[in-house]
Amino acid sequence: MFSGKSILIFGGTGSLGRTLLRRLLGSVHPPTKIIVFSRDEAKQHDIRVSYLQANAATDDAIFENFQRVIEFRIGDVRNPGDVLGALRDADIVVNAAALKQVPVCEYFPEQAVLTNIMGATSIVNMISHNRLPVETVVGISTDKACRPINVMGMTKAIQERIFINANILAPQTRFVCVRYGNVLASRGSVVPLFAAQLKAGGPLTITDERMTRFFISLDVAVDTVLSAIASALPGEIYTPIARGVRMIDVAKAMIDGRAIETKIKGVRPGEKLDEELISDEEALMTVQRGNYYVIRPMLPELNQGAAVNEARPLKTAFRSSTKVMTLEEVIALLDKHNLRLLGNFDNASSTAII
């Protein structure tokens, strides 16, 4: 799928970008070039050093591919000139550049608009206006884009619409999206927060005992991106079929019987008690392909082809509270990724780099 291709990752120094980079470098037929685009030179330097210093602990093929195909590019997705310069060399584009912290976006909504909306607009406009031969663009979205009540979700919902509509504006390029919930051990997520609070002796802060969220691993997030690149039709949104998790159970699993208190702080600005990956309205447009629910585009120009005849598995919304993991299952999930052992947490997180 990637042999002979150039892959551009906007926001490539984030958790998803780093894991995608590792997976691409380790593929049997790696791309000809991988462009890591971000505005953070320190994170780019960290990635470069982590590979160069980890040759002995890293698969030889990954290390050799890193030396041969990787290219770092400093730039801002908000700047159309930076975007155009990067896109000229790209066959496949993954847009992981985002402001994604809900409270931050609530207090700085204009910044969320500039990155999450105008960044996507720049990508589409540069491809369309310059007739660039980009094959595929994948927009990274979130469950918060489904019936959004916060700025982060609102801007991501509009980003989805921008990319879906781009199939009409730039028909030479296939624009698709992926939408998923919380990613285990990603920067700013609850598991690293709980780990830091545990190291400090507690308490673990819970917003509400009833709160549920979708949880997936970084590798499942990347699997979703790769599946969308391989199989999505223009304008489709791929969502992994995930189970919900109670936040109080995550806290209990992390505490693991220690004498650590939990403290209820209340719902933060822009938060829901439960999240949705697919709304009631979208359920009517959703088909299932393997481990993914696929939301078909609502635009009639795009809602054609073989997918029209696929079975619709959902009758109602796909919510994090619909089918929730037990505490034992949450413990098993965290143990699988080595995230309950405080001494191993830093190493577990660093797998996003190497």
Side-chain angles (χ1 to χ4, degrees), residues 7 9 12-27 30-31 33-36 44 47-48 50-51 62 65-66 69-72 222 352-354:
I7 315 297
I9 310 173
T13 54
S15 301
L16 176 75
R18 291 181 177 211
T19 305
L20 177 59
L21 174 62
R22 174 175 55 83
R23 293 278 293 274
L24 291 172
L25 291 173
S27 60
K33 181 189 293 186
I34 304 172
I35 305 168
V36 176
Q44 290 190 10
I47 294 175
R48 183 185 294 108
S50 68
Y51 277 100
I62 294 179
N65 289 336
F66 171 81
V69 307
I70 195 74
E71 175 185 321
F72 292 98
V222 170
I353 302 174
I354 298 297

Side-chain angles (χ1 to χ4, degrees), residues 327-348:
L327 174 58
E328 291 72 23
E329 288 173 323
V330 173
I331 291 172
L333 175 65
L334 295 176
D335 283 344
K336 179 181 178 181
H337 298 283
N338 218 20
L339 295 177
R340 285 204 308 149
L341 301 176
L342 292 184
N344 290 343
F345 183 82
D346 292 335
N347 293 331

Side-chain angles (χ1 to χ4, degrees), residues 7 52 132 193 224 262 264 270 276 278:
I7 315 297
L52 294 177
L132 299 179
L193 172 63
T224 308
T262 58
I264 306 299
E276 295 181 6
I278 299 171

Side-chain angles (χ1 to χ4, degrees), residues 42-97:
K43 291 178 183 176
Q44 290 190 10
H45 177 70
D46 288 344
I47 294 175
R48 183 185 294 108
V49 169
S50 68
Y51 277 100
L52 294 177
Q53 292 182 345
N55 185 23
T58 307
D59 183 270
D60 287 342
I62 294 179
F63 178 74
E64 292 172 4
N65 289 336
F66 171 81
Q67 291 186 308
R68 180 168 51 88
V69 307
I70 195 74
E71 175 185 321
F72 292 98
R73 195 173 190 119
I74 294 290
D76 194 331
V77 73
R78 302 176 176 190
N79 188 320
D82 294 347
V83 171
L84 176 60
L87 284 170
R88 290 192 184 278
D89 298 324
D91 297 305
I92 298 172
V93 176
V94 176
N95 182 34

Side-chain angles (χ1 to χ4, degrees), residues 258-290:
R258 299 179 184 90
I260 301 291
E261 295 181 347
T262 58
K263 181 178 180 181
I264 306 299
K265 297 189 66 176
V267 177
R268 296 180 300 175
E271 280 190 322
K272 297 179 182 179
L273 284 180
D274 306 305
E275 293 288 1
E276 295 181 6
L277 272 172
I278 299 171
S279 68
D280 286 307
E281 296 76 18
E282 291 171 326
L284 304 177
M285 305 289 293
T286 298
V287 300
Q288 184 173 349
R289 296 187 196 140

Side-chain angles (χ1 to χ4, degrees), residues 66-354:
F66 171 81
Q67 291 186 308
R68 180 168 51 88
V69 307
I70 195 74
E71 175 185 321
F72 292 98
R73 195 173 190 119
I74 294 290
D76 194 331
V77 73
R78 302 176 176 190
N79 188 320
D82 294 347
V83 171
L84 176 60
L87 284 170
R88 290 192 184 278
D89 298 324
D91 297 305
I92 298 172
V93 176
V94 176
N95 182 34
L99 286 185
K100 63 177 186 176
Q101 298 300 316
V102 169
V104 171
C105 292
E106 288 299 301
Y107 284 104
F108 301 97
E110 70 284 358
Q111 297 299 320
V113 168
L114 289 173
T115 298
N116 299 349
I117 295 178
M118 299 312 299
T121 301
S122 291
I123 293 171
V124 173
N125 286 345
M126 293 304 100
I127 292 173
S128 175
H129 295 169
N130 297 280
R131 301 183 182 276
L132 299 179
V134 176
E135 297 174 8
T136 301
V137 175
V138 181
I140 307 300
S141 190
T142 168
D143 52 5
K144 293 168 182 61
C146 182
R147 290 200 312 109
I149 66 166
N150 53 54
V151 172
M152 191 274 222
M154 293 172 188
T155 55
K156 282 292 192 175
I158 295 176
Q159 180 181 122
E160 288 181 357
R161 297 301 194 275
I162 289 170
F163 282 137
I164 291 170
N165 184 66
N167 288 284
I168 298 173
L169 299 176
Q172 78 276 13
T173 301
R174 176 180 56 135
F175 292 86
V176 299
C177 292
V178 300
R179 183 195 287 176
Y180 49 74
N182 293 32
V183 177
L184 284 169
S186 63
R187 275 195 298 270
S189 65
V190 70
V191 174
L193 172 63
F194 282 171
Q197 291 175 338
L198 281 171
K199 288 182 178 179
L204 268 62
T205 54
I206 310 293
T207 50
D208 192 294
E209 290 187 345
R210 299 167 294 169
M211 184 170 286
T212 64
R213 290 292 183 266
F214 289 107
F215 268 92
I216 61 171
S217 68
L218 276 165
D219 276 317
V220 170
V222 170
D223 287 340
T224 308
V225 173
L226 298 180
S227 295
I229 293 173
S231 305
L233 299 175
E236 290 184 335
I237 302 173
Y238 266 53
T239 69
I241 301 176
R243 302 258 310 272
V245 174
R246 294 184 184 88
M247 292 296 95
I248 188 67
D249 285 343
V250 176
K252 290 177 180 178
M254 296 286 290
I255 291 172
D256 194 24
R258 299 179 184 90
I260 301 291
E261 295 181 347
T262 58
K263 181 178 180 181
I264 306 299
K265 297 189 66 176
V267 177
R268 296 180 300 175
E271 280 190 322
K272 297 179 182 179
L273 284 180
D274 306 305
E275 293 288 1
E276 295 181 6
L277 272 172
I278 299 171
S279 68
D280 286 307
E281 296 76 18
E282 291 171 326
L284 304 177
M285 305 289 293
T286 298
V287 300
Q288 184 173 349
R289 296 187 196 140
N291 296 323
Y292 304 98
Y293 288 140
V294 181
I295 306 169
R296 297 283 295 140
M298 294 186 181
L299 295 177
E301 295 89 344
L302 302 177
N303 197 5
Q304 300 176 15
V308 173
N309 299 319
E310 292 181 276
R312 301 312 202 247
L314 297 179
K315 304 298 182 184
T316 58
F318 182 31
R319 296 186 178 92
S320 58
S321 58
T322 301
K323 191 174 182 181
V324 181
M325 289 185 180
T326 65
L327 174 58
E328 291 72 23
E329 288 173 323
V330 173
I331 291 172
L333 175 65
L334 295 176
D335 283 344
K336 179 181 178 181
H337 298 283
N338 218 20
L339 295 177
R340 285 204 308 149
L341 301 176
L342 292 184
N344 290 343
F345 183 82
D346 292 335
N347 293 331
S349 304
S350 67
T351 58
I353 302 174
I354 298 297

